[in-house]
Amino acid sequence: MSAAGQSEAIAFTGASVIDPGTSGVLSNATVVVREGVIVSVAEGGEAPAGAQAVDLGGRFLVPGLIDAHVHIGTLEAARRALLSGVTTARSMGAGFFADVGLRELFRRGSFAGPEILAAGYHVRPRPAEGLFLDEPGLSDLLGRDVRGPEALGRVARAMLDRGVDFIKVNATERAGLPETDPRKPFFTEAELSALVAEAAGGGVPVAAHAHGDRGGRAAVAAGVRSIEHGTYLGDATLRLMRERGTYLVPTIAVVSDLTLPGGDYDDPVLQVRGRHMLPRVRETAAAAHALGVPVVAATDTGYGSESVLRLSHELMELVGIGMNELDAIRAATTVAAELLGIADRTGRVAAGFEADLLVVDRNPLDDIGQYQDVLFVMSDGVIALDRLDFRPETPN
């Protein structure tokens, strides 16, 4: 939690509150925030003496969004994410441990957010060159495949030494490079189990990038906390995920982005691949949700200057695969917070929770697309965006 919350109390009056920890809408509510924390949520009421009053006029007050899979590595990109409504983000790979640096700047109150949970570098057979520049003690692994429990453990320990919150392993090849095959598995179950055990010894869970079923199943059997993407997962693997409590982070919208020119990807080979992958990942996510596998919303974007992808688009995809709007919102709030291990402090509009709050104009339980037009963003009590003055005039 950042120490940057405003000391002056702020009272949102006339709010239509959606708290994903409950159901429905609390109408005409007053929500009081002080020192970065929600101190009360009550129907009716008035702003307490001395508090700055913000009349929402019936607009909808909702929790800040959690983007559970990003690649944010700069302050500028973090700012873009925040202004879109993301108040917490889990980094799934950033060069030179930039995500660790962003996390620490946030904790010191140096910028408004989003709060970052960091993973550092991907653990994969050929780690990024930057890892060896940051960790020259791993130099004997440069230029050769990182294989076997001992080598994987060394890379994991390097991440733990940098204070990561998650370890990210690539259990299959990537989809976003034209020369790779996203179905191809990288590691054995034994190798992944050793990595999970090493991470657990440091008190850190493992997230596994996996498109193909073989790599995904090996990762689930090894005990990872989440599968990222999961495009080609089979029913048996999904059932195992349900039994183990493994989360699925399908990142559907970024696969849609593959199929289009511009955006995060702009490659004809990937456009062809994406057109095949998109119906499959939608099918997998729908099957996972129907089985009771916890599904979490994420973008897999770096929020770069060319990005056209936002978490609102993933929420729309989740509704498109059969989730109701409240479950889609939970996928980006309470369920995402459970995955990240922070469900006791964020993801809800409730007393005692961090003041990570958004305002949207209309009811997202009727139209999830309302998240495309966020009017107000508060992160740990700090106002990052305020467009509330742009409201319809009341007829005389």
Side-chain angles (χ1 to χ4, degrees):
M1 177 177 175
S2 167
Q6 296 173 191
S7 58
E8 178 187 24
I10 297 176
F12 299 95
T13 61
S16 299
V17 173
I18 296 176
D19 173 19
T22 60
S23 59
V25 178
L26 182 65
S27 299
N28 191 32
T30 297
V31 177
V32 179
V33 170
R34 183 179 290 109
E35 295 183 349
V37 176
I38 300 168
V39 296
S40 65
V41 180
E43 189 171 9
E46 298 179 350
Q52 175 189 346
V54 179
D55 179 13
L56 295 185
R59 284 171 164 165
F60 289 80
L61 187 68
V62 297
L65 297 173
I66 299 171
D67 192 338
H69 188 130
V70 303
H71 296 281
I72 293 173
T74 67
L75 289 167
E76 181 184 12
R79 178 73 174 167
R80 286 194 195 96
L82 181 64
L83 295 182
S84 75
V86 173
T87 54
T88 306
R90 181 181 62 157
S91 167
M92 287 281 92
F96 305 104
F97 294 99
D99 50 0
V100 174
L102 287 168
R103 182 193 67 196
E104 295 306 305
L105 286 174
F106 176 81
R107 288 179 176 176
R108 287 163 171 76
S110 301
F111 79 113
E115 178 182 1
I116 301 290
L117 279 75
Y121 288 91
H122 300 184
V123 179
R124 60 193 190 202
R126 288 295 179 101
E129 182 181 277
L131 174 62
F132 302 101
L133 298 175
D134 280 315
E135 297 290 336
L138 298 173
S139 61
D140 58 302
L141 300 177
L142 178 62
R144 67 180 183 88
D145 275 3
V146 175
R147 298 286 183 185
E150 192 275 334
L152 287 173
R154 287 178 60 199
V155 175
R157 286 191 294 276
M159 302 297 173
L160 294 170
D161 288 345
R162 290 297 187 110
V164 299
D165 303 288
F166 269 77
I167 286 179
K168 159 80 173 293
V169 63
N170 284 32
T172 70
E173 284 195 345
R174 290 181 56 189
L177 296 174
E179 67 273 14
T180 59
D181 183 345
R183 296 179 190 259
K184 182 180 177 181
F186 267 153
F187 297 113
T188 66
E189 182 183 330
E191 288 174 312
L192 293 168
S193 294
L195 179 67
V196 168
E198 189 71 48
V204 167
V206 174
H209 160 109
H211 288 283
D213 186 63
R214 281 180 54 199
R217 185 175 178 83
V220 175
V224 301
R225 186 162 177 81
S226 65
I227 294 292
E228 313 295 308
H229 318 305
T231 306
Y232 301 106
L233 298 182
D235 289 342
T237 301
L238 292 177
R239 288 194 296 271
L240 183 62
M241 291 176 69
R242 180 186 61 192
E243 293 168 11
R244 297 288 183 90
T246 312
Y247 292 77
L248 176 65
V249 187
T251 64
I252 305 168
V254 78
V255 181
S256 180
D257 188 32
L258 278 182
T259 69
L260 302 171
D264 284 47
Y265 300 92
D266 191 4
D267 183 281
V269 174
L270 298 182
Q271 288 174 31
V272 172
R273 176 182 291 171
R275 284 194 288 271
H276 175 263
M277 290 181 66
L278 185 56
R280 289 296 296 269
V281 72
R282 285 171 172 163
E283 177 185 304
T284 298
H289 177 59
L291 278 171
V293 175
V295 174
V296 173
T299 58
D300 194 18
T301 184
Y303 288 91
S305 59
E306 301 300 316
S307 173
V308 295
L309 180 61
R310 297 293 182 263
L311 195 55
S312 57
H313 305 135
E314 185 72 2
L315 297 183
M316 294 163 72
E317 286 283 359
L318 293 179
V319 170
I321 58 113
M323 279 191 177
N324 63 46
E325 285 79 2
L326 181 57
D327 281 344
I329 292 169
R330 286 170 172 158
T333 54
T334 53
V335 179
E338 290 166 5
L339 165 62
L340 273 56
I342 54 175
D344 61 336
R345 61 180 177 86
T346 195
R348 294 189 58 189
V349 185
F353 279 70
E354 294 172 5
D356 295 335
L357 299 169
L358 313 179
V359 176
V360 294
D361 195 34
R362 297 179 180 177
N363 190 352
L365 297 177
D366 295 330
D367 174 16
I368 200 69
Q370 290 298 309
Y371 281 97
Q372 295 180 98
D373 185 27
V374 173
L375 302 179
F376 180 95
V377 177
M378 173 178 278
S379 174
D380 267 17
V382 176
I383 298 171
L385 174 70
D386 184 355
R387 300 166 57 222
L388 294 175
D389 283 344
F390 300 103
R391 66 182 71 203
E393 292 185 7
T394 303
N396 295 326

